[in-house]
PDB file of all heavy atoms in Angstrom:
ATOM      1  N   LEU A   1       4.453   7.029  10.109  1.00  0.00           N
ATOM      2  CA  LEU A   1       3.851   6.170   9.068  1.00  0.00           C
ATOM      3  C   LEU A   1       3.519   4.779   9.583  1.00  0.00           C
ATOM      4  O   LEU A   1       4.267   4.225  10.348  1.00  0.00           O
ATOM      5  CB  LEU A   1       4.801   6.082   7.863  1.00  0.00           C
ATOM      6  CG  LEU A   1       4.989   7.338   7.017  1.00  0.00           C
ATOM      7  CD1 LEU A   1       6.057   7.078   5.967  1.00  0.00           C
ATOM      8  CD2 LEU A   1       3.678   7.750   6.336  1.00  0.00           C
ATOM      9  N   LEU A   2       2.462   4.264   9.072  1.00  0.00           N
ATOM     10  CA  LEU A   2       2.040   2.871   9.274  1.00  0.00           C
ATOM     11  C   LEU A   2       2.076   2.206   7.912  1.00  0.00           C
ATOM     12  O   LEU A   2       1.565   2.727   6.933  1.00  0.00           O
ATOM     13  CB  LEU A   2       0.647   2.846   9.879  1.00  0.00           C
ATOM     14  CG  LEU A   2      -0.145   1.548   9.721  1.00  0.00           C
ATOM     15  CD1 LEU A   2       0.531   0.419  10.490  1.00  0.00           C
ATOM     16  CD2 LEU A   2      -1.546   1.749  10.276  1.00  0.00           C
ATOM     17  N   ALA A   3       2.744   1.053   7.840  1.00  0.00           N
ATOM     18  CA  ALA A   3       2.754   0.301   6.578  1.00  0.00           C
ATOM     19  C   ALA A   3       2.037  -1.019   6.827  1.00  0.00           C
ATOM     20  O   ALA A   3       2.159  -1.628   7.875  1.00  0.00           O
ATOM     21  CB  ALA A   3       4.201   0.052   6.153  1.00  0.00           C
ATOM     22  N   SER A   4       1.306  -1.453   5.808  1.00  0.00           N
ATOM     23  CA  SER A   4       0.577  -2.677   5.896  1.00  0.00           C
ATOM     24  C   SER A   4       0.740  -3.505   4.625  1.00  0.00           C
ATOM     25  O   SER A   4       0.849  -2.947   3.524  1.00  0.00           O
ATOM     26  CB  SER A   4      -0.940  -2.428   6.147  1.00  0.00           C
ATOM     27  OG  SER A   4      -1.473  -1.603   5.085  1.00  0.00           O
ATOM     28  N   ALA A   5       0.852  -4.810   4.780  1.00  0.00           N
ATOM     29  CA  ALA A   5       1.085  -5.710   3.635  1.00  0.00           C
ATOM     30  C   ALA A   5      -0.055  -6.755   3.588  1.00  0.00           C
ATOM     31  O   ALA A   5      -0.476  -7.248   4.621  1.00  0.00           O
ATOM     32  CB  ALA A   5       2.426  -6.414   3.717  1.00  0.00           C
ATOM     33  N   SER A   6      -0.523  -7.088   2.399  1.00  0.00           N
ATOM     34  CA  SER A   6      -1.729  -7.864   2.268  1.00  0.00           C
ATOM     35  C   SER A   6      -1.596  -8.919   1.172  1.00  0.00           C
ATOM     36  O   SER A   6      -0.775  -8.852   0.269  1.00  0.00           O
ATOM     37  CB  SER A   6      -2.915  -6.946   1.939  1.00  0.00           C
ATOM     38  OG  SER A   6      -4.022  -7.641   1.515  1.00  0.00           O
ATOM     39  N   ASP A   7      -2.532  -9.880   1.230  1.00  0.00           N
ATOM     40  CA  ASP A   7      -2.710 -10.851   0.172  1.00  0.00           C
ATOM     41  C   ASP A   7      -3.116 -10.248  -1.161  1.00  0.00           C
ATOM     42  O   ASP A   7      -3.085 -10.941  -2.151  1.00  0.00           O
ATOM     43  CB  ASP A   7      -3.723 -11.939   0.619  1.00  0.00           C
ATOM     44  CG  ASP A   7      -3.123 -13.250   0.965  1.00  0.00           C
ATOM     45  OD1 ASP A   7      -1.894 -13.378   0.867  1.00  0.00           O
ATOM     46  OD2 ASP A   7      -3.851 -14.199   1.367  1.00  0.00           O
ATOM     47  N   ASP A   8      -3.553  -8.997  -1.128  1.00  0.00           N
ATOM     48  CA  ASP A   8      -3.941  -8.353  -2.357  1.00  0.00           C
ATOM     49  C   ASP A   8      -2.778  -7.853  -3.187  1.00  0.00           C
ATOM     50  O   ASP A   8      -2.913  -7.128  -4.172  1.00  0.00           O
ATOM     51  CB  ASP A   8      -4.931  -7.185  -2.121  1.00  0.00           C
ATOM     52  CG  ASP A   8      -4.357  -6.047  -1.327  1.00  0.00           C
ATOM     53  OD1 ASP A   8      -3.104  -6.011  -1.155  1.00  0.00           O
ATOM     54  OD2 ASP A   8      -5.084  -5.219  -0.842  1.00  0.00           O
ATOM     55  N   GLU A   9      -1.566  -8.260  -2.772  1.00  0.00           N
ATOM     56  CA  GLU A   9      -0.299  -7.986  -3.468  1.00  0.00           C
ATOM     57  C   GLU A   9       0.191  -6.534  -3.336  1.00  0.00           C
ATOM     58  O   GLU A   9       1.055  -6.096  -4.065  1.00  0.00           O
ATOM     59  CB  GLU A   9      -0.404  -8.344  -4.961  1.00  0.00           C
ATOM     60  CG  GLU A   9      -0.738  -9.818  -5.196  1.00  0.00           C
ATOM     61  CD  GLU A   9      -0.950 -10.146  -6.689  1.00  0.00           C
ATOM     62  OE1 GLU A   9      -0.610  -9.290  -7.539  1.00  0.00           O
ATOM     63  OE2 GLU A   9      -1.388 -11.257  -6.988  1.00  0.00           O
ATOM     64  N   SER A  10      -0.371  -5.843  -2.370  1.00  0.00           N
ATOM     65  CA  SER A  10       0.000  -4.433  -2.171  1.00  0.00           C
ATOM     66  C   SER A  10       0.546  -4.150  -0.807  1.00  0.00           C
ATOM     67  O   SER A  10       0.282  -4.861   0.152  1.00  0.00           O
ATOM     68  CB  SER A  10      -1.185  -3.494  -2.458  1.00  0.00           C
ATOM     69  OG  SER A  10      -2.108  -3.508  -1.374  1.00  0.00           O
ATOM     70  N   ILE A  11       1.335  -3.102  -0.714  1.00  0.00           N
ATOM     71  CA  ILE A  11       1.749  -2.473   0.572  1.00  0.00           C
ATOM     72  C   ILE A  11       1.109  -1.096   0.601  1.00  0.00           C
ATOM     73  O   ILE A  11       1.219  -0.348  -0.387  1.00  0.00           O
ATOM     74  CB  ILE A  11       3.305  -2.378   0.677  1.00  0.00           C
ATOM     75  CG1 ILE A  11       3.902  -3.757   0.572  1.00  0.00           C
ATOM     76  CG2 ILE A  11       3.656  -1.629   1.929  1.00  0.00           C
ATOM     77  CD1 ILE A  11       5.425  -3.702   0.377  1.00  0.00           C
ATOM     78  N   ARG A  12       0.456  -0.773   1.653  1.00  0.00           N
ATOM     79  CA  ARG A  12      -0.150   0.557   1.766  1.00  0.00           C
ATOM     80  C   ARG A  12       0.508   1.345   2.915  1.00  0.00           C
ATOM     81  O   ARG A  12       0.796   0.774   3.964  1.00  0.00           O
ATOM     82  CB  ARG A  12      -1.652   0.417   1.987  1.00  0.00           C
ATOM     83  CG  ARG A  12      -2.415  -0.048   0.785  1.00  0.00           C
ATOM     84  CD  ARG A  12      -3.876  -0.226   1.001  1.00  0.00           C
ATOM     85  NE  ARG A  12      -4.565  -0.660  -0.218  1.00  0.00           N
ATOM     86  CZ  ARG A  12      -5.347   0.132  -0.951  1.00  0.00           C
ATOM     87  NH1 ARG A  12      -5.532   1.387  -0.595  1.00  0.00           N
ATOM     88  NH2 ARG A  12      -5.907  -0.325  -2.036  1.00  0.00           N
ATOM     89  N   LEU A  13       0.753   2.599   2.668  1.00  0.00           N
ATOM     90  CA  LEU A  13       1.287   3.485   3.681  1.00  0.00           C
ATOM     91  C   LEU A  13       0.194   4.433   4.147  1.00  0.00           C
ATOM     92  O   LEU A  13      -0.567   4.970   3.338  1.00  0.00           O
ATOM     93  CB  LEU A  13       2.470   4.331   3.081  1.00  0.00           C
ATOM     94  CG  LEU A  13       3.633   3.502   2.521  1.00  0.00           C
ATOM     95  CD1 LEU A  13       4.692   4.481   1.969  1.00  0.00           C
ATOM     96  CD2 LEU A  13       4.222   2.579   3.553  1.00  0.00           C
ATOM     97  N   TRP A  14       0.137   4.644   5.445  1.00  0.00           N
ATOM     98  CA  TRP A  14      -0.891   5.443   6.080  1.00  0.00           C
ATOM     99  C   TRP A  14      -0.260   6.455   7.055  1.00  0.00           C
ATOM    100  O   TRP A  14       0.806   6.172   7.617  1.00  0.00           O
ATOM    101  CB  TRP A  14      -1.862   4.555   6.890  1.00  0.00           C
ATOM    102  CG  TRP A  14      -2.307   3.325   6.243  1.00  0.00           C
ATOM    103  CD1 TRP A  14      -1.606   2.151   6.116  1.00  0.00           C
ATOM    104  CD2 TRP A  14      -3.565   3.111   5.584  1.00  0.00           C
ATOM    105  NE1 TRP A  14      -2.364   1.208   5.457  1.00  0.00           N
ATOM    106  CE2 TRP A  14      -3.560   1.773   5.149  1.00  0.00           C
ATOM    107  CE3 TRP A  14      -4.739   3.880   5.419  1.00  0.00           C
ATOM    108  CZ2 TRP A  14      -4.704   1.205   4.464  1.00  0.00           C
ATOM    109  CZ3 TRP A  14      -5.823   3.302   4.780  1.00  0.00           C
ATOM    110  CH2 TRP A  14      -5.756   1.988   4.302  1.00  0.00           C
ATOM    111  N   ASN A  15      -0.891   7.593   7.191  1.00  0.00           N
ATOM    112  CA  ASN A  15      -0.489   8.565   8.235  1.00  0.00           C
ATOM    113  C   ASN A  15      -1.036   8.028   9.519  1.00  0.00           C
ATOM    114  O   ASN A  15      -2.289   7.914   9.712  1.00  0.00           O
ATOM    115  CB  ASN A  15      -1.078   9.947   7.890  1.00  0.00           C
ATOM    116  CG  ASN A  15      -0.634  10.984   8.918  1.00  0.00           C
ATOM    117  OD1 ASN A  15      -0.680  10.806  10.104  1.00  0.00           O
ATOM    118  ND2 ASN A  15      -0.182  12.144   8.388  1.00  0.00           N
ATOM    119  N   LEU A  16      -0.155   7.694  10.502  1.00  0.00           N
ATOM    120  CA  LEU A  16      -0.634   7.086  11.728  1.00  0.00           C
ATOM    121  C   LEU A  16      -1.520   8.036  12.520  1.00  0.00           C
ATOM    122  O   LEU A  16      -2.468   7.585  13.161  1.00  0.00           O
ATOM    123  CB  LEU A  16       0.583   6.705  12.580  1.00  0.00           C
ATOM    124  CG  LEU A  16       0.313   6.014  13.932  1.00  0.00           C
ATOM    125  CD1 LEU A  16      -0.438   4.705  13.730  1.00  0.00           C
ATOM    126  CD2 LEU A  16       1.599   5.761  14.691  1.00  0.00           C
ATOM    127  N   LYS A  17      -1.220   9.350  12.493  1.00  0.00           N
ATOM    128  CA  LYS A  17      -1.988  10.302  13.312  1.00  0.00           C
ATOM    129  C   LYS A  17      -3.407  10.502  12.794  1.00  0.00           C
ATOM    130  O   LYS A  17      -4.387  10.552  13.511  1.00  0.00           O
ATOM    131  CB  LYS A  17      -1.265  11.653  13.378  1.00  0.00           C
ATOM    132  CG  LYS A  17      -0.031  11.621  14.263  1.00  0.00           C
ATOM    133  CD  LYS A  17       0.623  13.005  14.344  1.00  0.00           C
ATOM    134  CE  LYS A  17       1.843  12.988  15.258  1.00  0.00           C
ATOM    135  NZ  LYS A  17       2.497  14.331  15.326  1.00  0.00           N
ATOM    136  N   THR A  18      -3.519  10.649  11.419  1.00  0.00           N
ATOM    137  CA  THR A  18      -4.807  10.995  10.833  1.00  0.00           C
ATOM    138  C   THR A  18      -5.554   9.805  10.279  1.00  0.00           C
ATOM    139  O   THR A  18      -6.766   9.840  10.051  1.00  0.00           O
ATOM    140  CB  THR A  18      -4.618  12.042   9.727  1.00  0.00           C
ATOM    141  OG1 THR A  18      -3.878  11.392   8.617  1.00  0.00           O
ATOM    142  CG2 THR A  18      -3.840  13.231  10.187  1.00  0.00           C
ATOM    143  N   GLY A  19      -4.809   8.730   9.999  1.00  0.00           N
ATOM    144  CA  GLY A  19      -5.404   7.548   9.347  1.00  0.00           C
ATOM    145  C   GLY A  19      -5.543   7.668   7.870  1.00  0.00           C
ATOM    146  O   GLY A  19      -6.099   6.795   7.197  1.00  0.00           O
ATOM    147  N   ALA A  20      -5.031   8.759   7.297  1.00  0.00           N
ATOM    148  CA  ALA A  20      -5.165   9.036   5.874  1.00  0.00           C
ATOM    149  C   ALA A  20      -4.229   8.079   5.104  1.00  0.00           C
ATOM    150  O   ALA A  20      -3.085   7.805   5.499  1.00  0.00           O
ATOM    151  CB  ALA A  20      -4.764  10.426   5.541  1.00  0.00           C
ATOM    152  N   HIS A  21      -4.725   7.575   3.966  1.00  0.00           N
ATOM    153  CA  HIS A  21      -3.934   6.745   3.046  1.00  0.00           C
ATOM    154  C   HIS A  21      -2.933   7.639   2.343  1.00  0.00           C
ATOM    155  O   HIS A  21      -3.330   8.652   1.712  1.00  0.00           O
ATOM    156  CB  HIS A  21      -4.866   6.015   2.051  1.00  0.00           C
ATOM    157  CG  HIS A  21      -4.122   5.228   1.030  1.00  0.00           C
ATOM    158  ND1 HIS A  21      -4.207   5.481  -0.287  1.00  0.00           N
ATOM    159  CD2 HIS A  21      -3.205   4.187   1.152  1.00  0.00           C
ATOM    160  CE1 HIS A  21      -3.447   4.632  -0.996  1.00  0.00           C
ATOM    161  NE2 HIS A  21      -2.837   3.859  -0.101  1.00  0.00           N
ATOM    162  N   VAL A  22      -1.664   7.298   2.404  1.00  0.00           N
ATOM    163  CA  VAL A  22      -0.645   8.114   1.797  1.00  0.00           C
ATOM    164  C   VAL A  22      -0.201   7.600   0.438  1.00  0.00           C
ATOM    165  O   VAL A  22      -0.042   8.352  -0.518  1.00  0.00           O
ATOM    166  CB  VAL A  22       0.602   8.191   2.740  1.00  0.00           C
ATOM    167  CG1 VAL A  22       1.764   8.952   2.089  1.00  0.00           C
ATOM    168  CG2 VAL A  22       0.236   8.806   4.090  1.00  0.00           C
ATOM    169  N   GLN A  23       0.001   6.278   0.332  1.00  0.00           N
ATOM    170  CA  GLN A  23       0.506   5.734  -0.931  1.00  0.00           C
ATOM    171  C   GLN A  23       0.317   4.230  -0.932  1.00  0.00           C
ATOM    172  O   GLN A  23       0.197   3.571   0.083  1.00  0.00           O
ATOM    173  CB  GLN A  23       2.030   6.019  -1.022  1.00  0.00           C
ATOM    174  CG  GLN A  23       2.685   5.655  -2.333  1.00  0.00           C
ATOM    175  CD  GLN A  23       4.162   6.071  -2.328  1.00  0.00           C
ATOM    176  OE1 GLN A  23       4.702   6.498  -1.340  1.00  0.00           O
ATOM    177  NE2 GLN A  23       4.820   5.938  -3.443  1.00  0.00           N
ATOM    178  N   THR A  24       0.162   3.680  -2.184  1.00  0.00           N
ATOM    179  CA  THR A  24       0.107   2.244  -2.356  1.00  0.00           C
ATOM    180  C   THR A  24       1.315   1.841  -3.177  1.00  0.00           C
ATOM    181  O   THR A  24       1.626   2.419  -4.237  1.00  0.00           O
ATOM    182  CB  THR A  24      -1.194   1.834  -3.114  1.00  0.00           C
ATOM    183  OG1 THR A  24      -2.337   2.196  -2.336  1.00  0.00           O
ATOM    184  CG2 THR A  24      -1.199   0.349  -3.337  1.00  0.00           C
ATOM    185  N   LEU A  25       2.030   0.819  -2.690  1.00  0.00           N
ATOM    186  CA  LEU A  25       3.182   0.274  -3.396  1.00  0.00           C
ATOM    187  C   LEU A  25       2.796  -1.096  -3.944  1.00  0.00           C
ATOM    188  O   LEU A  25       2.368  -1.950  -3.210  1.00  0.00           O
ATOM    189  CB  LEU A  25       4.365   0.098  -2.415  1.00  0.00           C
ATOM    190  CG  LEU A  25       4.785   1.336  -1.592  1.00  0.00           C
ATOM    191  CD1 LEU A  25       5.926   1.034  -0.633  1.00  0.00           C
ATOM    192  CD2 LEU A  25       5.170   2.482  -2.521  1.00  0.00           C
ATOM    193  N   MET A  26       2.945  -1.222  -5.253  1.00  0.00           N
ATOM    194  CA  MET A  26       2.516  -2.425  -5.907  1.00  0.00           C
ATOM    195  C   MET A  26       3.307  -2.562  -7.202  1.00  0.00           C
ATOM    196  O   MET A  26       3.274  -1.679  -8.065  1.00  0.00           O
ATOM    197  CB  MET A  26       1.023  -2.412  -6.215  1.00  0.00           C
ATOM    198  CG  MET A  26       0.427  -3.766  -6.617  1.00  0.00           C
ATOM    199  SD  MET A  26      -1.392  -3.640  -6.581  1.00  0.00           S
ATOM    200  CE  MET A  26      -1.819  -5.352  -6.897  1.00  0.00           C
ATOM    201  N   SER A  27       4.067  -3.658  -7.368  1.00  0.00           N
ATOM    202  CA  SER A  27       4.858  -3.816  -8.577  1.00  0.00           C
ATOM    203  C   SER A  27       3.964  -4.273  -9.722  1.00  0.00           C
ATOM    204  O   SER A  27       2.949  -4.946  -9.554  1.00  0.00           O
ATOM    205  CB  SER A  27       5.961  -4.879  -8.323  1.00  0.00           C
ATOM    206  OG  SER A  27       5.378  -6.129  -8.043  1.00  0.00           O
ATOM    207  N   ASP A  28       4.327  -3.827 -10.934  1.00  0.00           N
ATOM    208  CA  ASP A  28       3.595  -4.213 -12.128  1.00  0.00           C
ATOM    209  C   ASP A  28       3.770  -5.699 -12.359  1.00  0.00           C
ATOM    210  O   ASP A  28       4.878  -6.263 -12.248  1.00  0.00           O
ATOM    211  CB  ASP A  28       4.115  -3.434 -13.326  1.00  0.00           C
ATOM    212  CG  ASP A  28       3.653  -1.988 -13.318  1.00  0.00           C
ATOM    213  OD1 ASP A  28       2.703  -1.658 -12.577  1.00  0.00           O
ATOM    214  OD2 ASP A  28       4.252  -1.166 -14.028  1.00  0.00           O
ATOM    215  N   ARG A  29       2.702  -6.298 -12.785  1.00  0.00           N
ATOM    216  CA  ARG A  29       2.752  -7.741 -13.213  1.00  0.00           C
ATOM    217  C   ARG A  29       3.263  -7.815 -14.658  1.00  0.00           C
ATOM    218  O   ARG A  29       3.212  -6.822 -15.396  1.00  0.00           O
ATOM    219  CB  ARG A  29       1.363  -8.359 -13.013  1.00  0.00           C
ATOM    220  CG  ARG A  29       0.962  -8.483 -11.536  1.00  0.00           C
ATOM    221  CD  ARG A  29      -0.513  -8.818 -11.382  1.00  0.00           C
ATOM    222  NE  ARG A  29      -1.330  -7.709 -11.857  1.00  0.00           N
ATOM    223  CZ  ARG A  29      -2.689  -7.765 -11.795  1.00  0.00           C
ATOM    224  NH1 ARG A  29      -3.323  -8.841 -11.343  1.00  0.00           N
ATOM    225  NH2 ARG A  29      -3.385  -6.733 -12.198  1.00  0.00           N
ATOM    226  N   PRO A  30       3.665  -8.977 -15.127  1.00  0.00           N
ATOM    227  CA  PRO A  30       4.313  -9.104 -16.456  1.00  0.00           C
ATOM    228  C   PRO A  30       3.473  -8.558 -17.594  1.00  0.00           C
ATOM    229  O   PRO A  30       4.010  -7.980 -18.546  1.00  0.00           O
ATOM    230  CB  PRO A  30       4.566 -10.618 -16.575  1.00  0.00           C
ATOM    231  CG  PRO A  30       4.659 -11.108 -15.197  1.00  0.00           C
ATOM    232  CD  PRO A  30       3.701 -10.274 -14.362  1.00  0.00           C
ATOM    233  N   TYR A  31       2.138  -8.713 -17.515  1.00  0.00           N
ATOM    234  CA  TYR A  31       1.273  -8.310 -18.604  1.00  0.00           C
ATOM    235  C   TYR A  31       0.329  -7.183 -18.177  1.00  0.00           C
ATOM    236  O   TYR A  31      -0.805  -7.069 -18.665  1.00  0.00           O
ATOM    237  CB  TYR A  31       0.474  -9.507 -19.159  1.00  0.00           C
ATOM    238  CG  TYR A  31       1.383 -10.568 -19.748  1.00  0.00           C
ATOM    239  CD1 TYR A  31       1.703 -11.725 -19.030  1.00  0.00           C
ATOM    240  CD2 TYR A  31       1.976 -10.403 -20.997  1.00  0.00           C
ATOM    241  CE1 TYR A  31       2.578 -12.653 -19.518  1.00  0.00           C
ATOM    242  CE2 TYR A  31       2.828 -11.361 -21.546  1.00  0.00           C
ATOM    243  CZ  TYR A  31       3.141 -12.512 -20.790  1.00  0.00           C
ATOM    244  OH  TYR A  31       3.990 -13.450 -21.313  1.00  0.00           O
TER     245      TYR A  31
END
């Protein structure tokens, strides 16, 4: 797995071998 963190407030997980996006981790905002 490759994990990336961004100013867009998300962490994205990728399959390193294929480059496929696996999951996006992002906490809910208050509203």
Side-chain angles (χ1 to χ4, degrees):
L1 289 175
L2 161 62
S4 56
S6 166
D7 252 359
D8 64 14
E9 303 177 8
S10 75
I11 299 166
R12 289 177 179 254
L13 302 180
W14 315 78
N15 184 313
L16 180 61
K17 287 183 178 178
T18 66
H21 174 241
V22 175
Q23 189 177 5
T24 298
L25 307 177
M26 194 170 186
S27 62
D28 287 342
R29 293 167 292 180
Y31 298 100

